Amino acid sequence: MAGTIEGGCRCGAVRYTLALDALPRTYACHCLDCQTWSGSAFSQQAILPEAALSVSGPVLVYELTSPSGRISRQRICGVCHTRVFNTNSARPGKVVLRAGTLDRSDELEVVAHIWAKRAQPWLRLPDGVPAWEEGAPADAFARALEG
């Protein structure tokens, strides 16, 4: 039986549990969209089975259709507007969790970097951690996240 890992938004109105035995492996995305959405140099995320996530509280949905036709549904707290997770029509059954919303985010490890060509020039990516100039090939990315 899986354990539980918890997290939530900044104000605490939205809380979630993950039916996982261990903290998820995370990746950093340095693309311009993630920089804009996070208001920072990159976003740190984890891709998880949608069935592992249980959410409570006032969640709002912001839907965005990409030029390729993929639909991204962002879930944010209806009170403080923290972006908590999203789903994407390109990855049915998966959620992309904003890693900073985990209660134990200080224990996370970044195991891959994507869109490294957009990384801020002052940021040094660690040696030995896979990094791709743009999006990663699906199989290599999955291997990095699985460990």
Side-chain angles (χ1 to χ4, degrees):
M1 180 171 171
T4 58
I5 296 170
E6 298 181 351
C9 67
R10 181 176 168 87
C11 76
V14 171
R15 294 293 299 162
Y16 64 81
T17 58
L18 299 174
L20 300 174
D21 289 324
L23 286 169
R25 294 168 62 88
T26 66
Y27 67 96
C29 180
H30 301 270
C31 78
L32 294 178
D33 286 341
C34 283
Q35 289 179 24
T36 301
W37 275 75
S38 69
S40 189
F42 58 87
S43 64
Q44 186 180 0
Q45 305 169 136
I47 299 173
L48 305 167
E50 193 168 11
L53 176 65
S54 177
V55 182
S56 63
V59 175
L60 299 177
V61 177
Y62 171 74
E63 190 171 288
L64 175 69
T65 302
S66 72
S68 68
R70 293 180 180 166
I71 300 170
S72 176
R73 291 181 178 90
Q74 306 290 323
R75 276 43 168 232
I76 65 173
C77 170
V79 178
C80 69
H81 295 175
T82 298
R83 197 171 74 148
V84 180
F85 72 98
N86 74 282
T87 55
N88 190 302
S89 61
R91 286 190 208 105
K94 301 287 186 181
V95 296
V96 180
L97 181 75
R98 299 301 165 266
T101 65
L102 285 160
D103 291 348
R104 296 168 49 204
S105 64
D106 59 328
E107 298 175 41
L108 296 170
E109 179 184 3
V110 173
V111 299
H113 292 265
I114 59 175
W115 283 93
K117 75 178 188 181
R118 298 289 191 186
Q120 295 296 314
W122 49 263
L123 183 64
R124 301 291 175 252
L125 301 184
D127 292 334
V129 176
W132 293 272
E133 287 297 297
E134 293 185 359
D139 58 338
F141 192 53
R143 279 194 306 275
L145 293 177
E146 290 169 4

